[in-house]
Amino acid sequence: MNIGVIGGGSWGTALAKLLAENGHDVLVWCHEKPLPAAINEGHENTEYLPGFTLPDNLRATNDIQETIADKEMIVSVVPSHVLRKVISQVADDIPPATPIVSATKGIENETQMLVSDILEDVLPEYCHPYLVYLSGPSFAKEVAAQKPTAVTVASYNHKLAERVQRVFSNDVFRAYTSTDVVGVEIGGAVKNVIAIAAGAVAGMELGLNSRAGMITRGLHEMSRLAVSIGANPLTLSGLAGMGDLVLTCTGGLSRNRSVGVKLGQGHSLEEIVGGMNMVAEGVKTSKSVHSLSQKLGVEMPICEKVYQVLYEGLSTEDAVTELMSRELKPELQGLY
Ligand SMILES: NC(=O)C1=CN([C@@H]2O[C@H](COP(=O)(O)OP(=O)(O)OC[C@H]3O[C@@H](n4cnc5c(N)ncnc54)[C@H](OP(=O)(O)O)[C@@H]3O)[C@@H](O)[C@H]2O)C=CC1
Ligand SMILES: O=C(CO)COP(=O)(O)O
């Protein structure tokens, strides 16, 4: 197949490499940086995925129109805060019946829209039955290093999810299908907020009991939010829920967790984000989750503390004290 990948960050490049290794011809759109030369001539994304040789059938461009022209599949992998703007540039030029696979994780700040809502808002109606969402525990570097990885591909169009499953899967990358788009999306977005909390707990050296508690209660919050907007709670126990939550809350490669670690060590958000060239989606998603949980009346205490630490000057020490002194309650309250 001829495949266009919109987004030459670490995940876009790792997915493009995977698809090229699966035998497809892949063209990657890079936003601004002079990366196409490094990729086309040096076969390396020196900025976002250094150290990995990219195959000859993976090429890059700064021309977004070229990335979608004559393609049999389009993969969208830009950060969530620029998704609307980027896809709007090509929305009316995507040919009917072209599968569009989104691998972005996040919730829009201004509207609290999920990625699926944004894409349906921006793309013409004829594109909607061709949308698929890829999510799950998958650090770009490990996928690029061909470490065994399992993800979920979700679509309301089950046959299409099965097609996409076959296009991405190989001996070391295994995709499972799902029709629970909302559950998969909430898992991928909210786990980044909980990972900041888990990172903070690590940065404050609060121990492994705290980390396990944070992950488990975080899963409960994710599930409650997802169920309130129609998801199957079991999806949140799957790859795009618990799988990605555990990876991001425990893995040293996580950008979101590393933001939390530095917060827990006493650094300011400005200092932390100023020193990063990559996106930590949870920083923005915490704002969206704060608004969404208030709008829907869903209690999400860990996410709320992350929001207050990031944007309202709450110290991580006070956040822990406040979480631990909440009213005592049954474990499953609010889920069923
Ligand atoms: N990295 C990972 O392991 C995984 C990431 N994801 C998700 O994939 C999505 C993309 O993240 P990732 O690939 O990691 O990104 P990176 O953090 O590696 O890179 C950021 C990317 O965003 C681009 N960018 C920045 N500003 C703009 C803009 N205004 N318009 C268009 N592009 C812009 C950058 O291009 P430039 O430098 O040219 O501006 C660069 O390509 C996120 O939602 C992330 O959560 C999901 C699974 C795994
Ligand atoms: O989503 C990811 C792994 O599945 C990447 O997590 P970070 O953005 O925290 O690095």
Side-chain angles (χ1 to χ4, degrees):
M1 288 172 94
N2 277 311
I3 300 179
V5 175
I6 301 177
S10 45
W11 191 217
T13 308
L15 286 175
K17 177 176 181 283
L18 166 79
L19 291 166
E21 286 162 352
N22 284 359
H24 304 290
D25 287 327
V26 184
L27 183 65
V28 180
W29 174 71
C30 300
H31 171 231
E32 268 185 357
K33 298 241 163 69
L35 277 173
I39 294 174
N40 296 335
E41 288 152 34
H43 300 286
E44 184 181 2
N45 185 333
T46 45
E47 173 88 15
Y48 291 111
L49 201 63
F52 292 96
T53 302
L54 303 173
D56 291 347
N57 53 339
L58 187 169
R59 300 191 57 74
T61 178
N62 287 126
D63 181 346
I64 195 164
Q65 290 296 339
E66 187 191 353
T67 311
I68 61 147
D70 305 318
K71 298 300 182 297
E72 292 151 277
M73 181 178 287
I74 293 167
V75 183
S76 164
V77 206
V78 292
S80 63
H81 66 283
V82 299
L83 177 69
R84 180 180 291 278
K85 188 168 161 227
V86 170
I87 298 300
S88 297
Q89 293 172 45
V90 291
D92 294 330
D93 305 309
I94 296 178
T98 309
I100 303 168
V101 181
S102 167
T104 297
K105 294 174 180 171
I107 302 175
E108 195 170 48
N109 274 178
E110 298 76 12
T111 61
Q112 296 91 52
M113 282 181 168
L114 305 182
V115 167
S116 54
D117 298 322
I118 302 171
L119 290 176
E120 289 187 9
D121 200 25
V122 165
L123 290 165
E125 215 162 299
Y126 63 74
C127 289
H128 298 186
Y130 296 93
L131 286 162
V132 181
Y133 302 89
L134 185 151
S135 195
S138 49
F139 286 137
K141 271 191 190 164
E142 293 197 0
V143 170
Q146 300 181 330
K147 307 270 191 212
T149 299
V151 299
T152 304
V153 287
S155 178
Y156 297 117
N157 180 343
H158 181 61
K159 285 268 168 258
L160 181 66
E162 287 182 335
R163 258 172 75 197
V164 168
Q165 175 183 45
R166 287 192 294 273
V167 171
F168 279 86
S169 294
N170 61 29
D171 288 353
V172 288
F173 193 88
R174 186 170 168 80
Y176 289 81
T177 60
S178 167
T179 50
D180 187 1
V181 170
V182 170
V184 163
E185 281 210 71
I186 290 289
V190 180
K191 65 89 188 175
N192 284 331
V193 182
I194 306 294
I196 294 177
V201 157
M204 296 164 80
E205 299 183 11
L206 295 185
L208 301 179
N209 295 350
S210 304
R211 181 174 75 181
M214 200 57 99
I215 292 173
T216 313
R217 293 310 299 171
L219 179 63
H220 194 82
E221 288 187 22
M222 281 164 51
S223 304
R224 252 193 327 240
L225 181 65
V227 166
S228 79
I229 43 181
N232 180 341
L234 290 177
T235 302
L236 282 299
S237 305
L239 291 163
M242 190 184 76
D244 211 357
L245 180 68
V246 169
L247 180 80
T248 322
C249 288
T250 62
L253 288 175
S254 167
R255 288 95 40 108
N256 288 287
R257 181 180 178 278
S258 76
V259 167
V261 170
K262 290 190 189 117
L263 284 171
Q265 292 168 340
H267 299 276
S268 72
L269 180 61
E270 294 67 34
E271 206 184 322
I272 299 165
V273 174
M276 289 178 81
N277 71 335
M278 293 190 185
V279 65
E281 288 277 14
V283 172
K284 287 194 193 303
T285 302
S286 69
K287 270 191 191 171
S288 311
V289 169
H290 165 75
S291 311
L292 198 55
S293 62
Q294 289 203 332
K295 192 159 84 184
L296 299 173
V298 177
E299 219 184 330
M300 302 184 73
I302 299 172
C303 291
E304 189 57 21
K305 292 300 157 209
V306 171
Y307 173 79
Q308 290 173 347
V309 167
L310 292 178
Y311 299 110
E312 294 185 341
L314 181 69
S315 71
T316 50
E317 290 78 10
D318 285 349
V320 172
T321 307
E322 288 175 22
L323 281 173
M324 293 304 287
S325 55
R326 295 177 69 248
E327 181 198 349
L328 298 172
K329 57 188 60 173
E331 185 173 23
L332 297 183
Q333 184 166 303
L335 187 53
Y336 298 105

PDB file of all heavy atoms in Angstrom, residues 165-200:
ATOM      1  N   GLN A 165      -5.885  -3.820  11.462  1.00  0.00           N
ATOM      2  CA  GLN A 165      -5.182  -4.795  12.302  1.00  0.00           C
ATOM      3  C   GLN A 165      -4.157  -5.580  11.471  1.00  0.00           C
ATOM      4  O   GLN A 165      -2.999  -5.739  11.869  1.00  0.00           O
ATOM      5  CB  GLN A 165      -6.227  -5.761  12.882  1.00  0.00           C
ATOM      6  CG  GLN A 165      -5.698  -6.925  13.684  1.00  0.00           C
ATOM      7  CD  GLN A 165      -6.845  -7.839  14.133  1.00  0.00           C
ATOM      8  OE1 GLN A 165      -7.739  -8.170  13.338  1.00  0.00           O
ATOM      9  NE2 GLN A 165      -6.828  -8.245  15.383  1.00  0.00           N
ATOM     10  N   ARG A 166      -4.565  -6.000  10.266  1.00  0.00           N
ATOM     11  CA  ARG A 166      -3.658  -6.786   9.419  1.00  0.00           C
ATOM     12  C   ARG A 166      -2.524  -5.924   8.861  1.00  0.00           C
ATOM     13  O   ARG A 166      -1.399  -6.381   8.711  1.00  0.00           O
ATOM     14  CB  ARG A 166      -4.443  -7.442   8.270  1.00  0.00           C
ATOM     15  CG  ARG A 166      -5.312  -8.613   8.722  1.00  0.00           C
ATOM     16  CD  ARG A 166      -5.837  -9.419   7.564  1.00  0.00           C
ATOM     17  NE  ARG A 166      -6.775  -8.668   6.733  1.00  0.00           N
ATOM     18  CZ  ARG A 166      -8.082  -8.577   6.952  1.00  0.00           C
ATOM     19  NH1 ARG A 166      -8.606  -9.202   7.992  1.00  0.00           N
ATOM     20  NH2 ARG A 166      -8.858  -7.869   6.153  1.00  0.00           N
ATOM     21  N   VAL A 167      -2.819  -4.685   8.555  1.00  0.00           N
ATOM     22  CA  VAL A 167      -1.799  -3.794   7.976  1.00  0.00           C
ATOM     23  C   VAL A 167      -0.681  -3.510   8.989  1.00  0.00           C
ATOM     24  O   VAL A 167       0.498  -3.463   8.640  1.00  0.00           O
ATOM     25  CB  VAL A 167      -2.445  -2.463   7.487  1.00  0.00           C
ATOM     26  CG1 VAL A 167      -1.379  -1.455   7.081  1.00  0.00           C
ATOM     27  CG2 VAL A 167      -3.393  -2.733   6.327  1.00  0.00           C
ATOM     28  N   PHE A 168      -1.041  -3.346  10.259  1.00  0.00           N
ATOM     29  CA  PHE A 168      -0.037  -2.986  11.270  1.00  0.00           C
ATOM     30  C   PHE A 168       0.662  -4.206  11.884  1.00  0.00           C
ATOM     31  O   PHE A 168       1.820  -4.115  12.277  1.00  0.00           O
ATOM     32  CB  PHE A 168      -0.690  -2.166  12.400  1.00  0.00           C
ATOM     33  CG  PHE A 168      -0.857  -0.702  12.069  1.00  0.00           C
ATOM     34  CD1 PHE A 168      -1.970  -0.250  11.374  1.00  0.00           C
ATOM     35  CD2 PHE A 168       0.112   0.232  12.430  1.00  0.00           C
ATOM     36  CE1 PHE A 168      -2.133   1.095  11.058  1.00  0.00           C
ATOM     37  CE2 PHE A 168      -0.036   1.579  12.117  1.00  0.00           C
ATOM     38  CZ  PHE A 168      -1.155   2.011  11.434  1.00  0.00           C
ATOM     39  N   SER A 169      -0.050  -5.318  11.997  1.00  0.00           N
ATOM     40  CA  SER A 169       0.505  -6.442  12.778  1.00  0.00           C
ATOM     41  C   SER A 169       1.653  -7.144  12.052  1.00  0.00           C
ATOM     42  O   SER A 169       1.684  -7.228  10.821  1.00  0.00           O
ATOM     43  CB  SER A 169      -0.600  -7.465  13.082  1.00  0.00           C
ATOM     44  OG  SER A 169      -1.559  -6.888  13.940  1.00  0.00           O
ATOM     45  N   ASN A 170       2.594  -7.632  12.860  1.00  0.00           N
ATOM     46  CA  ASN A 170       3.663  -8.492  12.347  1.00  0.00           C
ATOM     47  C   ASN A 170       4.154  -9.363  13.510  1.00  0.00           C
ATOM     48  O   ASN A 170       3.483  -9.424  14.549  1.00  0.00           O
ATOM     49  CB  ASN A 170       4.788  -7.653  11.701  1.00  0.00           C
ATOM     50  CG  ASN A 170       5.454  -6.700  12.689  1.00  0.00           C
ATOM     51  OD1 ASN A 170       5.509  -6.979  13.893  1.00  0.00           O
ATOM     52  ND2 ASN A 170       5.960  -5.586  12.192  1.00  0.00           N
ATOM     53  N   ASP A 171       5.318  -9.976  13.371  1.00  0.00           N
ATOM     54  CA  ASP A 171       5.795 -10.920  14.401  1.00  0.00           C
ATOM     55  C   ASP A 171       6.019 -10.255  15.751  1.00  0.00           C
ATOM     56  O   ASP A 171       6.033 -10.926  16.789  1.00  0.00           O
ATOM     57  CB  ASP A 171       7.139 -11.536  13.972  1.00  0.00           C
ATOM     58  CG  ASP A 171       6.959 -12.509  12.837  1.00  0.00           C
ATOM     59  OD1 ASP A 171       5.794 -12.798  12.495  1.00  0.00           O
ATOM     60  OD2 ASP A 171       7.975 -12.960  12.282  1.00  0.00           O
ATOM     61  N   VAL A 172       6.253  -8.952  15.758  1.00  0.00           N
ATOM     62  CA  VAL A 172       6.568  -8.266  17.021  1.00  0.00           C
ATOM     63  C   VAL A 172       5.579  -7.149  17.356  1.00  0.00           C
ATOM     64  O   VAL A 172       5.752  -6.436  18.349  1.00  0.00           O
ATOM     65  CB  VAL A 172       8.011  -7.682  17.001  1.00  0.00           C
ATOM     66  CG1 VAL A 172       9.043  -8.791  17.094  1.00  0.00           C
ATOM     67  CG2 VAL A 172       8.229  -6.815  15.772  1.00  0.00           C
ATOM     68  N   PHE A 173       4.557  -7.001  16.554  1.00  0.00           N
ATOM     69  CA  PHE A 173       3.551  -5.945  16.816  1.00  0.00           C
ATOM     70  C   PHE A 173       2.181  -6.576  16.586  1.00  0.00           C
ATOM     71  O   PHE A 173       1.868  -7.022  15.475  1.00  0.00           O
ATOM     72  CB  PHE A 173       3.777  -4.756  15.870  1.00  0.00           C
ATOM     73  CG  PHE A 173       3.015  -3.515  16.265  1.00  0.00           C
ATOM     74  CD1 PHE A 173       3.558  -2.591  17.161  1.00  0.00           C
ATOM     75  CD2 PHE A 173       1.751  -3.256  15.740  1.00  0.00           C
ATOM     76  CE1 PHE A 173       2.865  -1.433  17.519  1.00  0.00           C
ATOM     77  CE2 PHE A 173       1.044  -2.110  16.100  1.00  0.00           C
ATOM     78  CZ  PHE A 173       1.610  -1.203  16.983  1.00  0.00           C
ATOM     79  N   ARG A 174       1.400  -6.644  17.649  1.00  0.00           N
ATOM     80  CA  ARG A 174       0.140  -7.391  17.581  1.00  0.00           C
ATOM     81  C   ARG A 174      -1.011  -6.445  17.910  1.00  0.00           C
ATOM     82  O   ARG A 174      -1.071  -5.884  19.011  1.00  0.00           O
ATOM     83  CB  ARG A 174       0.229  -8.516  18.611  1.00  0.00           C
ATOM     84  CG  ARG A 174      -0.898  -9.479  18.589  1.00  0.00           C
ATOM     85  CD  ARG A 174      -0.568 -10.675  19.496  1.00  0.00           C
ATOM     86  NE  ARG A 174      -1.762 -11.468  19.694  1.00  0.00           N
ATOM     87  CZ  ARG A 174      -2.229 -12.345  18.806  1.00  0.00           C
ATOM     88  NH1 ARG A 174      -1.587 -12.563  17.694  1.00  0.00           N
ATOM     89  NH2 ARG A 174      -3.348 -12.999  19.046  1.00  0.00           N
ATOM     90  N   ALA A 175      -1.898  -6.252  16.958  1.00  0.00           N
ATOM     91  CA  ALA A 175      -3.048  -5.361  17.183  1.00  0.00           C
ATOM     92  C   ALA A 175      -4.309  -6.185  17.437  1.00  0.00           C
ATOM     93  O   ALA A 175      -4.561  -7.170  16.731  1.00  0.00           O
ATOM     94  CB  ALA A 175      -3.239  -4.455  15.974  1.00  0.00           C
ATOM     95  N   TYR A 176      -5.077  -5.787  18.440  1.00  0.00           N
ATOM     96  CA  TYR A 176      -6.387  -6.387  18.729  1.00  0.00           C
ATOM     97  C   TYR A 176      -7.458  -5.402  18.295  1.00  0.00           C
ATOM     98  O   TYR A 176      -7.261  -4.185  18.426  1.00  0.00           O
ATOM     99  CB  TYR A 176      -6.534  -6.642  20.232  1.00  0.00           C
ATOM    100  CG  TYR A 176      -5.679  -7.775  20.755  1.00  0.00           C
ATOM    101  CD1 TYR A 176      -4.330  -7.573  21.045  1.00  0.00           C
ATOM    102  CD2 TYR A 176      -6.205  -9.049  20.934  1.00  0.00           C
ATOM    103  CE1 TYR A 176      -3.533  -8.612  21.518  1.00  0.00           C
ATOM    104  CE2 TYR A 176      -5.415 -10.096  21.411  1.00  0.00           C
ATOM    105  CZ  TYR A 176      -4.081  -9.865  21.699  1.00  0.00           C
ATOM    106  OH  TYR A 176      -3.306 -10.903  22.164  1.00  0.00           O
ATOM    107  N   THR A 177      -8.607  -5.882  17.846  1.00  0.00           N
ATOM    108  CA  THR A 177      -9.674  -4.973  17.438  1.00  0.00           C
ATOM    109  C   THR A 177     -10.637  -4.694  18.592  1.00  0.00           C
ATOM    110  O   THR A 177     -10.758  -5.476  19.532  1.00  0.00           O
ATOM    111  CB  THR A 177     -10.497  -5.544  16.258  1.00  0.00           C
ATOM    112  OG1 THR A 177     -11.071  -6.779  16.691  1.00  0.00           O
ATOM    113  CG2 THR A 177      -9.639  -5.729  15.026  1.00  0.00           C
ATOM    114  N   SER A 178     -11.328  -3.564  18.458  1.00  0.00           N
ATOM    115  CA  SER A 178     -12.370  -3.194  19.423  1.00  0.00           C
ATOM    116  C   SER A 178     -13.376  -2.303  18.685  1.00  0.00           C
ATOM    117  O   SER A 178     -13.021  -1.661  17.700  1.00  0.00           O
ATOM    118  CB  SER A 178     -11.745  -2.413  20.581  1.00  0.00           C
ATOM    119  OG  SER A 178     -12.737  -1.788  21.360  1.00  0.00           O
ATOM    120  N   THR A 179     -14.601  -2.299  19.187  1.00  0.00           N
ATOM    121  CA  THR A 179     -15.566  -1.335  18.647  1.00  0.00           C
ATOM    122  C   THR A 179     -15.862  -0.235  19.668  1.00  0.00           C
ATOM    123  O   THR A 179     -16.684   0.642  19.436  1.00  0.00           O
ATOM    124  CB  THR A 179     -16.905  -2.036  18.270  1.00  0.00           C
ATOM    125  OG1 THR A 179     -17.324  -2.820  19.379  1.00  0.00           O
ATOM    126  CG2 THR A 179     -16.754  -2.917  17.039  1.00  0.00           C
ATOM    127  N   ASP A 180     -15.162  -0.277  20.812  1.00  0.00           N
ATOM    128  CA  ASP A 180     -15.410   0.697  21.879  1.00  0.00           C
ATOM    129  C   ASP A 180     -14.463   1.904  21.724  1.00  0.00           C
ATOM    130  O   ASP A 180     -13.467   2.039  22.458  1.00  0.00           O
ATOM    131  CB  ASP A 180     -15.219   0.029  23.245  1.00  0.00           C
ATOM    132  CG  ASP A 180     -15.633   0.924  24.404  1.00  0.00           C
ATOM    133  OD1 ASP A 180     -16.089   2.063  24.159  1.00  0.00           O
ATOM    134  OD2 ASP A 180     -15.475   0.478  25.561  1.00  0.00           O
ATOM    135  N   VAL A 181     -14.782   2.755  20.781  1.00  0.00           N
ATOM    136  CA  VAL A 181     -13.929   3.914  20.482  1.00  0.00           C
ATOM    137  C   VAL A 181     -13.782   4.811  21.713  1.00  0.00           C
ATOM    138  O   VAL A 181     -12.672   5.228  22.068  1.00  0.00           O
ATOM    139  CB  VAL A 181     -14.511   4.707  19.282  1.00  0.00           C
ATOM    140  CG1 VAL A 181     -13.790   6.036  19.097  1.00  0.00           C
ATOM    141  CG2 VAL A 181     -14.440   3.869  18.007  1.00  0.00           C
ATOM    142  N   VAL A 182     -14.890   5.086  22.396  1.00  0.00           N
ATOM    143  CA  VAL A 182     -14.853   6.003  23.548  1.00  0.00           C
ATOM    144  C   VAL A 182     -13.982   5.430  24.676  1.00  0.00           C
ATOM    145  O   VAL A 182     -13.141   6.133  25.253  1.00  0.00           O
ATOM    146  CB  VAL A 182     -16.287   6.308  24.048  1.00  0.00           C
ATOM    147  CG1 VAL A 182     -16.264   7.039  25.380  1.00  0.00           C
ATOM    148  CG2 VAL A 182     -17.037   7.130  23.008  1.00  0.00           C
ATOM    149  N   GLY A 183     -14.144   4.153  24.974  1.00  0.00           N
ATOM    150  CA  GLY A 183     -13.349   3.530  26.039  1.00  0.00           C
ATOM    151  C   GLY A 183     -11.853   3.580  25.714  1.00  0.00           C
ATOM    152  O   GLY A 183     -11.027   3.911  26.572  1.00  0.00           O
ATOM    153  N   VAL A 184     -11.520   3.254  24.465  1.00  0.00           N
ATOM    154  CA  VAL A 184     -10.114   3.256  24.044  1.00  0.00           C
ATOM    155  C   VAL A 184      -9.547   4.675  24.122  1.00  0.00           C
ATOM    156  O   VAL A 184      -8.427   4.898  24.583  1.00  0.00           O
ATOM    157  CB  VAL A 184     -10.006   2.659  22.618  1.00  0.00           C
ATOM    158  CG1 VAL A 184      -8.673   2.997  21.952  1.00  0.00           C
ATOM    159  CG2 VAL A 184     -10.197   1.144  22.686  1.00  0.00           C
ATOM    160  N   GLU A 185     -10.320   5.641  23.724  1.00  0.00           N
ATOM    161  CA  GLU A 185      -9.836   7.030  23.732  1.00  0.00           C
ATOM    162  C   GLU A 185      -9.684   7.600  25.137  1.00  0.00           C
ATOM    163  O   GLU A 185      -8.718   8.308  25.433  1.00  0.00           O
ATOM    164  CB  GLU A 185     -10.820   7.902  22.961  1.00  0.00           C
ATOM    165  CG  GLU A 185     -10.641   7.768  21.475  1.00  0.00           C
ATOM    166  CD  GLU A 185     -11.024   9.064  20.836  1.00  0.00           C
ATOM    167  OE1 GLU A 185     -10.260  10.027  20.997  1.00  0.00           O
ATOM    168  OE2 GLU A 185     -12.101   9.105  20.232  1.00  0.00           O
ATOM    169  N   ILE A 186     -10.655   7.327  25.996  1.00  0.00           N
ATOM    170  CA  ILE A 186     -10.560   7.831  27.377  1.00  0.00           C
ATOM    171  C   ILE A 186      -9.350   7.198  28.071  1.00  0.00           C
ATOM    172  O   ILE A 186      -8.581   7.874  28.754  1.00  0.00           O
ATOM    173  CB  ILE A 186     -11.862   7.535  28.177  1.00  0.00           C
ATOM    174  CG1 ILE A 186     -13.014   8.395  27.658  1.00  0.00           C
ATOM    175  CG2 ILE A 186     -11.662   7.756  29.676  1.00  0.00           C
ATOM    176  CD1 ILE A 186     -12.925   9.879  27.996  1.00  0.00           C
ATOM    177  N   GLY A 187      -9.149   5.894  27.845  1.00  0.00           N
ATOM    178  CA  GLY A 187      -7.986   5.228  28.438  1.00  0.00           C
ATOM    179  C   GLY A 187      -6.692   5.912  28.016  1.00  0.00           C
ATOM    180  O   GLY A 187      -5.866   6.290  28.860  1.00  0.00           O
ATOM    181  N   GLY A 188      -6.520   6.109  26.716  1.00  0.00           N
ATOM    182  CA  GLY A 188      -5.274   6.682  26.187  1.00  0.00           C
ATOM    183  C   GLY A 188      -5.040   8.115  26.640  1.00  0.00           C
ATOM    184  O   GLY A 188      -3.895   8.548  26.788  1.00  0.00           O
ATOM    185  N   ALA A 189      -6.119   8.846  26.877  1.00  0.00           N
ATOM    186  CA  ALA A 189      -5.973  10.257  27.269  1.00  0.00           C
ATOM    187  C   ALA A 189      -5.758  10.395  28.778  1.00  0.00           C
ATOM    188  O   ALA A 189      -4.833  11.084  29.226  1.00  0.00           O
ATOM    189  CB  ALA A 189      -7.209  11.054  26.846  1.00  0.00           C
ATOM    190  N   VAL A 190      -6.603   9.719  29.570  1.00  0.00           N
ATOM    191  CA  VAL A 190      -6.570   9.953  31.023  1.00  0.00           C
ATOM    192  C   VAL A 190      -5.354   9.295  31.676  1.00  0.00           C
ATOM    193  O   VAL A 190      -4.820   9.797  32.668  1.00  0.00           O
ATOM    194  CB  VAL A 190      -7.894   9.504  31.685  1.00  0.00           C
ATOM    195  CG1 VAL A 190      -7.858   9.736  33.187  1.00  0.00           C
ATOM    196  CG2 VAL A 190      -9.079  10.245  31.068  1.00  0.00           C
ATOM    197  N   LYS A 191      -4.854   8.207  31.073  1.00  0.00           N
ATOM    198  CA  LYS A 191      -3.670   7.563  31.679  1.00  0.00           C
ATOM    199  C   LYS A 191      -2.503   8.544  31.740  1.00  0.00           C
ATOM    200  O   LYS A 191      -1.634   8.430  32.616  1.00  0.00           O
ATOM    201  CB  LYS A 191      -3.302   6.270  30.943  1.00  0.00           C
ATOM    202  CG  LYS A 191      -2.850   6.419  29.486  1.00  0.00           C
ATOM    203  CD  LYS A 191      -1.380   6.627  29.309  1.00  0.00           C
ATOM    204  CE  LYS A 191      -1.013   6.955  27.877  1.00  0.00           C
ATOM    205  NZ  LYS A 191       0.409   7.281  27.714  1.00  0.00           N
ATOM    206  N   ASN A 192      -2.448   9.497  30.842  1.00  0.00           N
ATOM    207  CA  ASN A 192      -1.336  10.464  30.864  1.00  0.00           C
ATOM    208  C   ASN A 192      -1.415  11.382  32.085  1.00  0.00           C
ATOM    209  O   ASN A 192      -0.392  11.819  32.609  1.00  0.00           O
ATOM    210  CB  ASN A 192      -1.340  11.303  29.582  1.00  0.00           C
ATOM    211  CG  ASN A 192      -0.806  10.521  28.395  1.00  0.00           C
ATOM    212  OD1 ASN A 192       0.024   9.635  28.560  1.00  0.00           O
ATOM    213  ND2 ASN A 192      -1.289  10.846  27.193  1.00  0.00           N
ATOM    214  N   VAL A 193      -2.632  11.673  32.542  1.00  0.00           N
ATOM    215  CA  VAL A 193      -2.810  12.515  33.733  1.00  0.00           C
ATOM    216  C   VAL A 193      -2.407  11.718  34.975  1.00  0.00           C
ATOM    217  O   VAL A 193      -1.682  12.212  35.851  1.00  0.00           O
ATOM    218  CB  VAL A 193      -4.277  13.009  33.839  1.00  0.00           C
ATOM    219  CG1 VAL A 193      -4.443  13.930  35.041  1.00  0.00           C
ATOM    220  CG2 VAL A 193      -4.713  13.701  32.545  1.00  0.00           C
ATOM    221  N   ILE A 194      -2.864  10.467  35.033  1.00  0.00           N
ATOM    222  CA  ILE A 194      -2.524   9.621  36.188  1.00  0.00           C
ATOM    223  C   ILE A 194      -1.004   9.371  36.230  1.00  0.00           C
ATOM    224  O   ILE A 194      -0.402   9.297  37.307  1.00  0.00           O
ATOM    225  CB  ILE A 194      -3.284   8.263  36.132  1.00  0.00           C
ATOM    226  CG1 ILE A 194      -4.803   8.486  35.982  1.00  0.00           C
ATOM    227  CG2 ILE A 194      -2.972   7.402  37.358  1.00  0.00           C
ATOM    228  CD1 ILE A 194      -5.479   9.152  37.150  1.00  0.00           C
ATOM    229  N   ALA A 195      -0.377   9.284  35.047  1.00  0.00           N
ATOM    230  CA  ALA A 195       1.080   9.057  35.000  1.00  0.00           C
ATOM    231  C   ALA A 195       1.831  10.236  35.618  1.00  0.00           C
ATOM    232  O   ALA A 195       2.892  10.045  36.230  1.00  0.00           O
ATOM    233  CB  ALA A 195       1.535   8.823  33.566  1.00  0.00           C
ATOM    234  N   ILE A 196       1.293  11.436  35.472  1.00  0.00           N
ATOM    235  CA  ILE A 196       1.929  12.593  36.119  1.00  0.00           C
ATOM    236  C   ILE A 196       1.859  12.409  37.638  1.00  0.00           C
ATOM    237  O   ILE A 196       2.833  12.639  38.362  1.00  0.00           O
ATOM    238  CB  ILE A 196       1.259  13.911  35.667  1.00  0.00           C
ATOM    239  CG1 ILE A 196       1.514  14.136  34.167  1.00  0.00           C
ATOM    240  CG2 ILE A 196       1.782  15.102  36.491  1.00  0.00           C
ATOM    241  CD1 ILE A 196       0.848  15.379  33.582  1.00  0.00           C
ATOM    242  N   ALA A 197       0.699  11.957  38.123  1.00  0.00           N
ATOM    243  CA  ALA A 197       0.545  11.721  39.571  1.00  0.00           C
ATOM    244  C   ALA A 197       1.499  10.618  40.042  1.00  0.00           C
ATOM    245  O   ALA A 197       2.174  10.767  41.077  1.00  0.00           O
ATOM    246  CB  ALA A 197      -0.906  11.345  39.880  1.00  0.00           C
ATOM    247  N   ALA A 198       1.571   9.535  39.268  1.00  0.00           N
ATOM    248  CA  ALA A 198       2.465   8.425  39.659  1.00  0.00           C
ATOM    249  C   ALA A 198       3.922   8.888  39.638  1.00  0.00           C
ATOM    250  O   ALA A 198       4.722   8.491  40.498  1.00  0.00           O
ATOM    251  CB  ALA A 198       2.266   7.238  38.723  1.00  0.00           C
ATOM    252  N   GLY A 199       4.259   9.729  38.680  1.00  0.00           N
ATOM    253  CA  GLY A 199       5.618  10.272  38.615  1.00  0.00           C
ATOM    254  C   GLY A 199       5.914  11.135  39.835  1.00  0.00           C
ATOM    255  O   GLY A 199       6.994  11.056  40.429  1.00  0.00           O
ATOM    256  N   ALA A 200       4.939  11.932  40.234  1.00  0.00           N
ATOM    257  CA  ALA A 200       5.137  12.812  41.397  1.00  0.00           C
ATOM    258  C   ALA A 200       5.395  11.979  42.655  1.00  0.00           C
ATOM    259  O   ALA A 200       6.281  12.292  43.470  1.00  0.00           O
ATOM    260  CB  ALA A 200       3.925  13.722  41.583  1.00  0.00           C
TER     261      ALA A 200
END
